[in-house]
Amino acid sequence: MTTNEFETFLKQYPTYEKTESIDALRKKDYSRLDRGEHIYLDYTGGGIYAESQIQKHHQLLHENVFGNPHSSNPTSLAATEAVESTREYILKFFNADPDEYLAIFTANASGALKLIGESYPFSNGRYLLTFDNHNSVNGIREFAHARGANVTYIPVMLPEMRVDESQLNLELAQPSKSGHNLFAFPAQSNFSSVKHPLEWIEQAHAHGWDVLLDAAAYVPTNKLDLSQVKPDFVPVSFYKIFGYPTGLGALIARKSALAKLHRPWFAGGTITVASVQGDKYYLADGAAAFEDGTLDYLNIPAIEIGLKHIESIGYDVISERVKTLTGWLLQNLTQMKHSTGEPLVRLFGPNSTEGRGGAVTVNFTIRTAKLSIIVLSKAKPTRSTSPCGQAASATPVPARLLSASRALNLMSASPNPATKTASPLTTSACVLTASLQAR
């Protein structure tokens, strides 16, 4: 981006300058990107960890000895203290009242969702969900079907892919009278990046529904305050937020909702007593009843380190950087035309930054004399999630796509020509499908 182009950018997005701390952060904590000449475009698959996170975690392991928390020796007590400190910090980070909510450790958001699906009392009830849920939320319907629940989808409407609220209101007003009712929706769509109204939570509660809020795509760039909105179940994956550690997530759940769940089995760590002869068992209290086996007690403390790292940056700064770059990308992509005047891209989702996150999903159409190549891509100026995590294979880029390719590459670098460095919170692109159509 030239100096003149950057000046024009700042006139259009003056709040970008308020996020310059991210450029300094990249030099300090993500310098390996520049050393390796990387342009990282897979924030939909996973965030990049800061070097300071690794250093702090390694120091913790270097200076302490931790044992299995299911024992009671000094090293086990030290591990228990570290795990419970992180559990408490998760609730603090989301401003969740510990008298109302519990944080249950899982392998990821999908693991948290499976925990809900296998344990929720669906018999004679209803499972209501929006079209744009993650597949792990869709998968819960198999548990619902198996227990005789009615499963209903609420469609989204083109072109912005927002939910048909008239139909949502109609369905919410008709809960099952003879069973439990669960309503699931994403705070931010994995596909279109639409941010759905969090007011739906209390609207559903008023009609007797339990609410599952999938926050995995939302919390990497937005503050979720559980003192202001009170969903019953909130699954998250921490590596989506701050990159490290992988393989750890959480189910943040209201205690009153957890009391409705009935686990189909028990495991080590989830019970206080199991009798072989008497064929009986007694579940442990609280979060332990839902945490199978030994927790990843060496990596769990790294979650608290990561959460503090995000707090040091500030959600206001992250959200504003994402908003300005998303606006710039939307503007440039939608202005691209073929020589025939046809749009180069077809946008799926909102064409402005209002009520949307940083994922930009489009069809790129490249026209040649003999064929048209349609590539569905997802560009994302953030650490957030998408339905895919695989890196796209390298393919030759036709000349007519160079302008679009340049736009995506610029998104991965700071527009400021003076810094010549990229932000660690900039862009991801994920190729979802590709097809050839003969002309």
Side-chain angles (χ1 to χ4, degrees), residues 1 3 23 26-27 34 412-423:
M1 183 178 284
T3 299
D23 298 317
R26 178 187 174 100
K27 292 180 181 179
D34 291 331
S412 70
S414 168
N416 189 344
T419 62
K420 295 182 180 180
T421 60
S423 161

Side-chain angles (χ1 to χ4, degrees), residues 12-13 327-337 345 407:
Q12 293 176 311
Y13 304 99
W328 179 85
L329 180 60
L330 286 169
Q331 178 185 4
N332 280 271
L333 286 178
T334 55
Q335 287 178 355
M336 293 177 180
K337 308 286 184 183
V345 304

Side-chain angles (χ1 to χ4, degrees), residues 158-195:
L158 294 173
E160 292 206 344
M161 303 191 75
R162 297 191 188 278
V163 164
D164 182 348
E165 291 206 43
S166 63
Q167 185 167 345
L168 174 63
N169 294 337
L170 180 65
E171 295 294 343
L172 287 177
Q174 301 179 68
S176 170
K177 302 297 184 183
S178 57
H180 292 278
N181 302 276
L182 181 63
F183 170 45
F185 72 97
Q188 179 176 311
S189 171
N190 289 275
F191 181 77
S192 66
S193 203
V194 164
K195 291 181 180 178

Side-chain angles (χ1 to χ4, degrees), residues 274-308:
S275 171
V276 176
Q277 291 181 317
D279 197 27
K280 293 183 181 294
Y281 65 92
Y282 297 91
L283 282 175
D285 293 327
F290 298 90
E291 295 171 341
D292 299 334
T294 299
L295 291 171
D296 189 359
Y297 58 90
L298 293 181
N299 279 323
I300 283 176
I303 295 174
E304 183 173 344
I305 293 170
L307 294 174
K308 289 179 177 178

Side-chain angles (χ1 to χ4, degrees), residues 141-164:
R141 74 188 184 199
E142 300 306 308
F143 291 109
H145 282 312
R147 294 174 196 147
N150 176 276
V151 177
T152 307
Y153 274 94
I154 302 297
V156 295
M157 301 180 295
L158 294 173
E160 292 206 344
M161 303 191 75
R162 297 191 188 278
V163 164
D164 182 348

